[in-house]
Amino acid sequence: MPAYARPTRVDEALKVLARGRRAVLAGGTDHYPARVGRAPDEDILDLTAIRELRGIAERRDHFRIGATTTWTEVIEAKLPPLFDCLKLAAREVGGLQIQNAGTVAGNLCNASPAADGVPPLLALDARVELASAQGRRMLPLAEFIIGPRKTALRAGELLSAVLVPKPKHEARSRFLKLGARKYLVISIAMTAAVIERDNGIVRAARIAVGACSPMARRLPALEAALTGKRLSGNLVRHEHLAALAPIDDVRGSAGYRNEAALVLVRRLLDELA
Ligand SMILES: Cc1cc2nc3c(=O)[nH]c(=O)nc-3n(C[C@H](O)[C@H](O)[C@H](O)COP(=O)(O)OP(=O)(O)OC[C@H]3O[C@@H](n4cnc5c(N)ncnc54)[C@H](O)[C@@H]3O)c2cc1C
């Protein structure tokens, strides 16, 4: 019989993980669909009873999003406009039942190229905290997701929190997703932006596009082109999206995705302007 552990403290969870391989379970909304038609045969470590992994806390220079914080908790949290991109993405992750169970860390650890949580958290310059029985380490999100469905998690490690730094200037953010219909849909392309401004001038821009490359990507050429200017979607050129490498699949062709990404980014910046 496979073993099932549901500890109430992080240190207990890390001891369980240190003893041998376990499938880590949070909301289960990616875990279970990947195992349909198979008898359960893995030892499970269920994180959902660990209170210290849940919720969003404000610290002096950053916000800390606990690993098992659900999408509904993100939507309901009182957060500054900086987080609008993450809240908008949260509303588009599946339907209400999925948002009630699915977690931010589960979305990151599953590392789907179409994960709606990744572009907003890249635009928020998030870092992930990885905990093991040996201690904790931090990684920028861009170094944590290293390929489609591949992360830098090592054996014995849990993603314990996502840390979002406070911006230097007044910051606003947005998220836009394109799917074949409005709700309950896997993204064809999506984009998130955080813009920091001072007297109407862009002081920092962080823009990410998802579902148009093996992992969601920031657009450094566009970010540099916007800095020091008044924001407008007209500033976006095709060459600013050169970092993207979309594929043809059932949801859309590479050419369509390239065009869609360009239009989405322009719209997003116009909304923020
Ligand atoms: C009907 C349906 C619709 C969906 N729609 C969307 C959508 O629109 N957009 C979208 O992005 N996703 C969607 N999803 C996917 C899923 O709901 C999200 O990715 C969700 O955030 C996953 O979180 P979870 O807690 O359920 O993860 P789980 O299924 O519990 O875990 C996912 C993976 O992450 C690992 N893991 C989880 N937490 C940790 C941790 N703290 N440390 C280490 N490893 C961990 C697990 O071992 C597993 O490999 C949908 C799923 C379903 C079933």
Side-chain angles (χ1 to χ4, degrees):
M1 272 290 279
Y4 194 95
R6 192 168 183 255
T8 53
R9 292 192 356 224
V10 174
D11 56 350
E12 291 168 25
L14 295 176
K15 275 188 201 149
V16 172
L17 266 191
R19 284 201 289 269
R21 213 184 131 64
R22 293 261 171 168
V24 174
L25 185 72
T29 62
D30 278 315
H31 175 93
Y32 288 115
R35 288 160 176 80
V36 171
R38 264 170 53 190
D41 59 354
E42 297 151 292
D43 292 342
I44 299 278
L45 172 63
D46 180 337
L47 301 181
T48 54
I50 306 177
R51 288 182 115 194
E52 60 186 289
L53 287 183
R54 192 149 226 147
I56 305 177
E58 183 173 355
R59 302 276 161 82
R60 191 178 52 80
D61 60 353
H62 68 274
F63 291 85
R64 181 183 174 89
I65 306 175
T68 58
T69 305
T70 64
W71 292 114
T72 298
E73 286 164 343
V74 169
I75 292 165
E76 290 176 351
K78 277 209 166 78
L79 292 167
L82 170 70
F83 282 94
D84 287 356
C85 61
L86 192 63
K87 284 180 173 258
L88 288 163
R91 286 180 189 282
E92 303 228 21
V93 176
L96 287 182
Q97 296 93 333
I98 298 295
Q99 291 161 17
N100 286 341
T103 63
V104 174
N107 194 250
L108 301 184
C109 292
N110 192 53
S112 158
D116 287 322
V118 178
L121 286 165
L122 283 175
L124 287 164
D125 222 5
R127 289 176 301 151
V128 293
E129 182 190 82
L130 307 174
S132 71
Q134 280 72 49
R136 296 189 182 222
R137 65 183 177 120
M138 303 291 306
L139 272 186
L141 177 57
E143 291 173 27
F144 175 68
I145 299 179
I146 53 177
R149 312 231 172 239
K150 283 204 191 91
T151 69
L153 259 185
R154 295 179 188 150
E157 271 183 340
L158 283 179
L159 195 165
S160 43
V162 179
L163 272 57
V164 173
K166 290 188 176 172
K168 291 200 178 71
H169 305 277
E170 197 225 329
R172 303 226 153 236
S173 78
R174 302 293 288 174
F175 170 84
L176 271 181
K177 165 170 170 174
L178 173 72
R181 55 176 187 258
K182 185 71 190 100
Y183 288 108
L184 261 175
V185 71
I186 298 178
S187 294
I188 296 170
M190 74 283 215
T191 181
V194 172
I195 303 289
E196 291 184 38
R197 272 175 288 203
D198 184 17
N199 282 324
I201 301 298
V202 176
R203 294 296 171 209
R206 293 182 293 279
I207 299 155
V209 171
C212 289
S213 34
M215 304 95 85
R217 287 203 181 283
R218 292 260 302 263
L219 301 177
L222 176 58
E223 294 173 0
L226 297 177
T227 306
K229 306 216 173 67
R230 282 193 185 275
L231 193 64
S232 161
N234 288 333
L235 295 169
V236 187
R237 304 269 169 267
H238 261 117
E239 57 268 26
H240 292 143
L241 279 73
L244 305 180
I247 54 162
D248 296 317
D249 71 7
V250 286
R251 284 182 284 280
S253 67
Y256 177 70
R257 281 198 159 92
N258 264 327
E259 276 309 307
L262 183 76
V263 172
L264 285 181
V265 173
R266 282 185 176 150
R267 273 188 203 159
L268 188 80
L269 297 184
D270 279 337
E271 279 184 19
L272 280 163

